[in-house]
Amino acid sequence: MTTHEHVLSWWGDTAGSAGVQITVGPDGALTGLLLGGSERLAGAFGVRGIGAEAYVPDDVRIEADEIETAGTCAGVAVRVRHSFDTVWRVRISLTNTGEAPVRIGRLLLDVAPGSDGLLEVFGAGAVAYLTFHSLSAARCLSLRLIRGDLVTGPDGLGTPELELAPGGRYQVVLSGDWYAGTDAVRQRLPLWFPDSLDHVAADRVDPLIEHPDVAVTVRDTEAPDLALLDVAEPRGVARLPVSYVDEDLSYGRIARELVTRGELASAAEGLVVMRAVADHQVSHDEAGGLIEAYLDRPGDAPNPLRVILLLRARDLLGPELIARAATELAALPPGPGVLLAGLHLATADGAVVDGTLEDLAGRLVGLLTDPTTDPVTLAELQLLYAGGPAELAERLARARQEVELLCTTEPGELWPPRPDAETARALAVRALLPNPQAEPPAAHRRVRRLIARALTQPDTMDTLAWLTLAALG
């Protein structure tokens, strides 16, 4: 095995005249994919391991148009091959060379975007893809699954748990090519794949998928607005999460549970109740009593959602809540959601608080150059700041593109996964940013997806609360 990094060239079909450079570590792992030799689109692509055991190859072969590694992991033989021709073909083979069955757990992939790219992943079993999005051009590189199964989980992207019989083999094969954009990638999904996985409840169609080449089984989940479709197709079984959401009824159902409980634990819960009041699912008196009791309790730390709750509850509890909101906003340290809270305060029913935005501008400006500021907050700051040096403009443009993909990729989502509450806040920010085109349906569908799975996530109430700010029209 060599001890230095290798660089391979690949043009593909539509990568452009500058081509692509692929950097490979001494262990045969891909460490980067550079467009034109400088734009780092991908940061890693390979095999991480099987279960908790890392894959460390014994043999590495690197040619001008091919990379192959081989070794053992979790008791089975592993072979990984990347070949670069008009397409990028990835083949991962597992073989049980022993005389007894082996239960090996999940084969996990090591995939990551580069510093100049974003990665979208959709893993539904027999139907899956990984798409690397360029930040400088509309084109993207997508690797589609053509054999095997890939699913996402808390431990990463990989296969389901596997068991191999003596002499048994299992393969994962992906084919990568360049596409003009996300719509072109989506067109390569199977013919039976539905137009969307996220629906208005009133438009529910049963069965959602009708095609002679597949058999569909619908399974309920613990989330009332979410179903799972097992689609048996020629290559295997795809498992699709499908949402059917009536936003008013969903918020009303959760708010009624809070009313029955008789106590609010957070400002986020208060905003869910306020949304139900607007939808006539909870009475003014019920909401007013709950929110007043919550606001009167000591010890709850100020936060942006609490400021927004104070402003939204003023019609129930009195206009003096505006001044209280201003005081709490002034005490907030710079961070996510603070500007959104300030904008709500500055436009509170004509009762404009003098100096609110000017004060925020001075307090939040440091976030623009802070390397730890997350992309959603950077996009949020674009509601207040414009211009600046080229390096800052480039950073803000990247954040804006990340928010756009975070809100609209379908059916995939950005990888590594972002918390649902962060995606919900991104939708609230995006709804306020200038948008030269009509609101695409994908953003509305993302709202329905987040609502449908909210009860299965640890940040349920924060997600639902931020979505009350995402007025998409």
Side-chain angles (χ1 to χ4, degrees), residues 101-357:
V102 178
R103 187 170 184 82
I104 61 173
R106 299 184 66 203
L107 167 72
L108 296 171
L109 302 186
D110 178 20
V111 291
S115 56
D116 304 306
L118 293 165
L119 173 59
E120 174 191 353
V121 169
F122 178 65
V127 178
Y129 65 79
L130 297 81
T131 300
F132 293 93
H133 294 271
S134 168
L135 294 174
S136 66
R139 66 187 179 187
C140 54
L141 171 63
S142 189
L143 294 104
R144 296 182 300 108
L145 182 70
I146 58 177
R147 181 178 296 176
D149 300 85
L150 286 178
V151 295
T152 58
D155 52 349
L157 171 69
T159 68
E161 292 199 357
L162 301 173
E163 183 172 352
L164 296 182
R169 300 185 65 195
Y170 182 89
Q171 286 191 332
V172 173
V173 181
L174 298 109
S175 179
D177 208 344
W178 296 93
Y179 294 84
T182 53
D183 289 343
V185 173
R186 206 177 187 288
Q187 289 172 6
R188 297 300 303 273
L189 290 170
L191 291 176
W192 55 260
F193 203 92
D195 291 338
S196 176
L197 300 181
D198 305 293
H199 303 265
V200 177
D203 295 338
R204 182 164 187 158
V205 177
D206 193 14
L208 176 63
I209 299 171
E210 290 186 283
H211 195 279
D213 293 335
V214 301
V216 180
T217 302
V218 181
R219 295 187 287 127
D220 293 330
T221 71
E222 60 183 5
D225 298 326
L226 190 67
L228 286 178
L229 270 59
D230 287 351
V231 185
E233 61 141 30
R235 288 198 304 106
V237 177
R239 294 177 173 85
L240 308 180
V242 180
S243 65
Y244 300 99
V245 174
D246 182 315
E247 294 185 31
D248 295 352
L249 293 180
S250 296
Y251 274 95
R253 182 180 63 245
I254 296 169
R256 292 304 317 171
E257 293 174 357
L258 296 174
V259 170
T260 300
R261 191 177 72 189
E263 184 179 59
L264 298 178
S266 66
E269 292 184 351
L271 286 169
V272 169
V273 170
M274 287 300 302
R275 165 64 190 266
V277 170
D279 297 331
H280 308 290
Q281 304 287 321
V282 171
S283 72
H284 286 70
D285 289 343
E286 289 173 317
L290 281 174
I291 294 171
E292 185 173 26
Y294 161 73
L295 293 174
D296 286 344
R297 287 203 312 271
D300 194 17
N303 61 76
L305 290 176
R306 183 179 165 94
V307 172
I308 295 168
L309 176 62
L310 285 164
L311 295 168
R312 292 194 170 182
R314 66 188 184 277
D315 290 337
L316 296 178
L317 303 177
E320 62 273 12
L321 291 186
I322 296 177
R324 186 172 171 183
T327 300
E328 294 205 7
L329 177 67
L332 291 180
V338 172
L339 179 55
L340 287 177
L343 292 173
H344 275 72
L345 177 62
T347 57
D349 275 355
V352 178
V353 180
D354 292 337
T356 296
L357 295 183

